[in-house]
Amino acid sequence: MWIIFDLDDTLIDTTGSLTPFRLEQALKKMIDSGLAVNDFTRARFQLWALNKKALSTEEALRIFFSLGEYDKSFLEVGIKEIYEVELPEKFPLESLPGAGNLLQELKDHTLILVTKGHEAIQYKKLEKAGIEPRLFSKIIVSDLKDKGPHYQKICNEMNIPPSQLVVIGDRIGSDLVPAKKLGAWTVQMKWGRGLCFEGLEDYVDFKISKLEEIKRIIDHLGALNSVGI
Ligand SMILES: [Mg+2]
């Protein structure tokens, strides 16, 4: 099988460990730039609480300012700090439980990583989480929100029949919908942002809450393929 993984909240715990840190950094940067905040701890707590329900870090920041308590002209400073500023030397980030083992155990398959973001930042996250880039036959880091064109290109280049392609990600809209439209199998990782997503269920073939469940799915799909279904 060919297996395409998403990175954030699929192989690494971005929302749980890195995002709260990034939000705190962004808050400090906005304050340094002139944002008036009376109670730093309270503002940080507000951001963290909003982030738990938001579909993206940017959305959490937007809601934070839409509450009307803070001067929203600092929104862009915060967004830039989170998405474009290099990660510092030290930052918190863990892989999801079992990620390293899983990738090793799946090495008889072709593993591909398709992740949204900036190249230097995404590679730094891989390194910090202890996930070796060489485990993947191909790594695509893209600014595009829609991963469909990348999936299509991978299928064309590697001549992959859609029935033998499995895509795993936490976001149904950007990770799984374009995969299903191509005819691939889709697995939703119910982690981080993935916990907030409802709807679009028709595009999800399997849902998992632990990475190790992927092995059983891959075995199952491999068996289907071998009898020509
Ligand atoms: Mg993700």
Side-chain angles (χ1 to χ4, degrees), residues 6-11 14 115 147 169-171 174-175 193:
D6 167 52
L7 179 62
D8 291 294
D9 287 329
T10 297
L11 291 172
T14 310
T115 172
K147 292 182 173 179
D170 62 304
R171 290 171 183 265
S174 52
D175 296 329
R193 304 288 183 203

Side-chain angles (χ1 to χ4, degrees), residues 128-198:
K128 174 72 182 177
I131 295 175
E132 293 182 42
R134 63 173 181 81
L135 291 169
F136 300 98
S137 302
K138 191 175 183 70
I139 295 180
I140 295 174
V141 183
S142 160
D143 265 348
L144 287 184
K145 205 162 198 163
D146 178 11
K147 292 182 173 179
H150 293 299
Y151 297 160
Q152 182 72 63
K153 198 162 167 241
I154 290 167
C155 283
N156 295 346
E157 278 175 4
M158 297 186 161
N159 202 16
I160 303 171
S163 63
Q164 293 192 31
L165 178 66
V166 185
V167 177
I168 302 158
D170 62 304
R171 290 171 183 265
I172 301 175
S174 52
D175 296 329
L176 305 185
V177 169
K180 198 72 235 166
K181 284 182 177 168
L182 276 181
W185 296 98
T186 58
V187 182
Q188 187 192 15
M189 182 66 194
K190 299 286 284 178
W191 187 276
R193 304 288 183 203
L195 294 171
C196 302
F197 285 96
E198 300 294 339

